[in-house]
Amino acid sequence: MKIKVIHGPNLNMLGIREVNIYGPMKLDDINKNLQNVAKQNGFEIEFFQSNHEGDIVDAIQESLEDGTNAILINPAALTHTSVSIRDAIAAVKLPVIEVHMTNVAAREDFRQKSMISDIVAGTITGLGPLSYHLGLVGLMEILNQIKRAQEIQQAQAQKGN
Ligand code: DQA
């Protein structure tokens, strides 16, 4: 099963940008850690970062055709503004977890609103790179539960035949 990790604008600058807020870790290192955790648990993982809203919408839509089973997303600043990312998430109907490095609830007023929190499976904020790690663990658990439910259904259907 495949999980797609989507990083929004300016997250390519982690480790350089506002290190006092976002910490010293680079995006590549966050991705490497996620890759290791996914691999250890038998999941495929794919990474996508863009500074462009439409490209993120495309990446979400393409999930329906490229074998993605779930999405881990940090839409960054677009969290607070993007109706099109919200609509794309609603359209694909895949399990999605929203993550933020910082505790957005403790930051500026304009960061208080997330356009996607009410349509995702869950949101993890404020734990730095650990937000991504826990988000991934959550998605793997959700996918394992879906798989178990499907296996039970199949076994029951076979019994019925
Ligand atoms: C962020 C929080 C957003 O408000 C901000 O625009 C970001 C990163 C976070 O991970 O804490 O770029 O999503």
Side-chain angles (χ1 to χ4, degrees):
M1 282 188 289
K2 182 164 101 179
I3 295 171
K4 186 182 281 188
V5 182
I6 300 178
H7 306 283
N10 298 307
L11 292 171
N12 55 317
M13 292 191 71
L14 285 178
I16 300 167
R17 94 185 261 223
E18 299 177 281
V19 173
N20 56 322
I21 297 176
Y22 295 106
M25 205 166 189
K26 288 189 174 0
L27 190 62
D28 270 357
D29 295 324
I30 291 176
N31 286 346
K32 268 181 210 146
N33 287 345
L34 295 176
Q35 173 98 58
N36 287 339
V37 174
K39 204 174 165 192
Q40 278 158 16
N41 288 280
F43 286 83
E44 200 184 320
I45 193 160
E46 187 180 299
F47 301 97
F48 179 81
Q49 190 279 328
S50 177
N51 295 327
H52 305 283
E53 185 172 3
D55 290 344
I56 293 173
V57 170
D58 287 344
I60 296 168
Q61 287 185 9
E62 281 159 18
S63 299
L64 287 183
E65 283 147 29
D66 65 11
T68 297
N69 300 97
I71 298 174
L72 185 64
I73 185 166
N74 182 351
L78 294 170
T79 306
H80 316 298
T81 59
S82 179
V83 178
S84 60
I85 289 178
R86 177 195 173 86
D87 286 349
I89 288 173
V92 297
K93 287 195 185 134
L94 292 173
V96 175
I97 290 186
E98 171 189 5
V99 298
H100 299 286
M101 303 271 288
T102 62
N103 179 5
V104 279
R107 297 186 65 192
E108 301 95 326
D109 284 352
F110 63 85
R111 295 186 208 274
Q112 301 307 310
K113 172 80 189 158
S114 164
M115 301 299 285
I116 65 169
S117 285
D118 61 316
I119 58 162
V120 295
T123 302
I124 299 171
T125 65
L127 302 175
L130 185 60
S131 293
Y132 282 102
H133 177 90
L134 295 178
L136 177 61
V137 170
L139 275 184
M140 293 189 304
E141 181 57 27
I142 289 171
L143 290 178
N144 281 334
Q145 278 173 16
I146 292 172
K147 198 173 160 205
R148 275 197 294 274
Q150 282 168 350
E151 282 165 1
I152 290 168
Q153 261 181 0
Q154 272 166 13
Q156 279 170 348
Q158 268 169 6
K159 260 192 212 163
N161 288 339

